[in-house]
Amino acid sequence: MKKLTLPEQGAEILFDVRDENIHLLESLFDVRISARGSSVTIEGQEEAIGSVERIFQDFSHLVSDGVEFSNGELAEAFRQIAQRSAESLRELFPRRIVVRTPVREVVPRSPNQVRYLQEMERSDLVFGIGPAGTGKTYLAVAMAISMLLRKAVRRIILARPAVEAGEKLGFLPGDMQEKINPYLRPLYDALYDMLDAEKVQRLIDRGVIEVAPIAFMRGRTLSNSFIIMDEAQNSTSEQMKMFLTRIGLNSKTVVTGDVTQVDLPSGQKSGLIESARILKHIGDISFCHFDHRDVVRHHLVRLIIQAYEKVDQ
């Protein structure tokens, strides 16, 4: 048995309305937790008590440091620690780097996401490579909006290959804009999550924000811009080379993709995979790699990615 005292504010967060966090910890670590005010008692096997005690100690420090937890963050962190995907709460909630946008403050939730944001500040070209749900595109869009608002860049350019799951644009209904919009929808979703919808439309109408397929970048020089290529694993070698050579003065470029989900026709090289091999020795280019520990979607997504990784290995 172990008795602890939590900060008063921390107790309110941890012991939410229905004690769901406590019940989850009891289930994950096979312990019994009882609380009275800010006092907590843990009963169970010695090793399990020690694990939960470290969680409570880290939690108390993080609360004292002013760290705030959104809905579901703690529950997901507890699962990762129990499954040994992470060592501690402090690892999962490192020093807070906050990217401020008009609608929300975006905060990295893993050490890899912290480094990703740091590299976007430091480097002019950053590759974010990893599975779905790891925040690659979302964090890049947040950084782009933040830099636009503080006038570090004049434009945001978001690009995607218009090739996914073997579909061809010619067979889709509508005019060209209607054909490509479904492929660009995730980029619009990220924008609408961080800016008022009317403001997004005004910026698009003025050309301050541009969302377009990669093919639309040909022949241009993109200066004073924050440029994002999303789903880059579906770019061809030629498209990737063309895109990377568009970078102009005072621009930041972020290339994101998942090399395990290439939808190009069989036998065609992925521009992302090839560029990672060709450019990896250039010191001014940063490569940030993500894995299942960085997933910020439903916890089942992380387990699904782990299962596929085991099969691939």
Side-chain angles (χ1 to χ4, degrees):
M1 180 187 296
K2 187 74 178 185
K3 292 186 178 181
L4 302 170
T5 302
L6 297 175
E8 185 174 340
Q9 181 188 2
E12 292 175 1
I13 297 170
L14 198 58
F15 309 139
D16 50 13
V17 179
R18 295 184 298 275
D19 286 347
E20 290 179 355
N21 288 326
I22 295 302
H23 295 323
L24 178 61
L25 282 171
E26 289 180 324
S27 172
L28 291 172
F29 293 94
D30 192 23
V31 295
R32 186 172 182 277
I33 302 172
S34 55
R36 176 171 295 182
S38 58
S39 298
V40 180
T41 302
I42 311 166
E43 297 179 82
Q45 296 295 321
E46 185 176 349
E47 184 178 355
I49 290 174
S51 297
V52 176
E53 180 183 8
R54 284 190 294 276
I55 287 174
F56 283 159
Q57 289 172 342
D58 282 351
F59 176 77
S60 298
H61 284 295
L62 290 169
V63 170
S64 299
D65 289 342
V67 174
E68 297 179 357
F69 304 92
S70 63
N71 289 340
E73 279 190 323
L74 275 177
E76 178 58 27
F78 295 159
R79 290 190 184 95
Q80 291 197 38
I81 294 170
Q83 294 166 4
R84 302 189 187 279
S85 297
E87 292 295 324
S88 67
L89 278 183
R90 292 197 191 190
E91 176 189 333
L92 292 169
F93 297 94
R95 181 177 62 84
R96 302 301 256 188
I97 296 177
V98 179
V99 181
R100 289 180 171 83
T101 70
V103 174
R104 66 179 68 249
E105 291 184 341
V106 179
V107 180
R109 300 185 186 181
S110 74
N112 283 333
Q113 290 186 355
V114 170
R115 178 174 173 262
Y116 186 47
L117 289 177
Q118 291 171 335
E119 293 300 329
M120 280 191 272
E121 289 278 12
R122 184 184 71 84
S123 301
D124 288 339
L125 176 56
V126 178
F127 285 78
I129 301 173
T134 50
K136 305 181 299 295
T137 303
Y138 194 82
L139 291 173
V141 172
M143 181 63 77
I145 291 172
S146 175
M147 291 187 69
L148 180 70
L149 294 178
R150 64 180 192 253
K151 295 181 169 49
V153 296
R154 295 179 187 171
R155 292 185 298 168
I156 296 174
I157 297 172
L158 309 175
R160 262 190 163 204
V163 178
E164 291 185 27
E167 297 183 29
K168 291 180 170 56
L169 291 179
F171 293 98
L172 297 177
D175 60 22
M176 180 54 70
Q177 196 61 42
E178 290 171 331
K179 290 174 188 288
I180 63 176
N181 273 344
Y183 294 97
L184 305 175
R185 187 76 247 170
L187 296 174
Y188 284 108
D189 289 344
L191 287 172
Y192 291 136
D193 207 32
M194 298 175 209
L195 287 173
D196 177 83
E198 292 183 4
K199 186 173 181 65
V200 170
Q201 193 57 53
R202 286 198 304 271
L203 293 173
I204 290 174
D205 291 342
R206 288 164 45 200
V208 176
I209 294 179
E210 180 180 349
V211 186
I214 291 171
F216 284 34
M217 303 297 111
R218 190 174 297 278
R220 302 171 61 185
T221 299
L222 307 175
S223 301
N224 300 303
S225 304
F226 197 111
I227 312 155
I228 300 172
M229 182 204 277
D230 189 36
E231 296 290 338
Q233 76 275 5
N234 289 326
S235 67
T236 64
S237 298
E238 294 77 13
Q239 286 176 326
M240 178 63 77
K241 182 179 178 181
M242 178 273 293
F243 175 82
L244 293 177
T245 53
R246 299 307 94 202
I247 302 172
L249 298 175
N250 191 37
S251 286
K252 293 273 188 183
T253 302
V254 179
V255 178
T256 71
D258 178 359
V259 295
T260 69
Q261 295 195 34
V262 177
D263 293 322
L264 291 168
S266 179
Q268 195 164 25
K269 289 182 181 179
S270 164
L272 177 61
I273 295 174
E274 186 178 59
S275 63
R277 175 178 58 82
I278 293 172
L279 305 176
K280 64 182 179 180
H281 299 301
I282 299 179
D284 292 338
I285 299 176
S286 296
F287 287 87
C288 296
H289 293 273
F290 299 87
D291 58 31
H292 62 270
R293 291 170 294 187
D294 303 299
V295 170
V296 291
R297 293 179 183 170
H298 193 287
H299 74 277
L300 285 176
V301 175
R302 179 166 44 80
L303 298 178
I304 291 167
I305 290 169
Q306 280 183 284
Y308 275 97
E309 284 176 351
K310 288 179 181 178
V311 171
D312 291 339
Q313 289 169 0

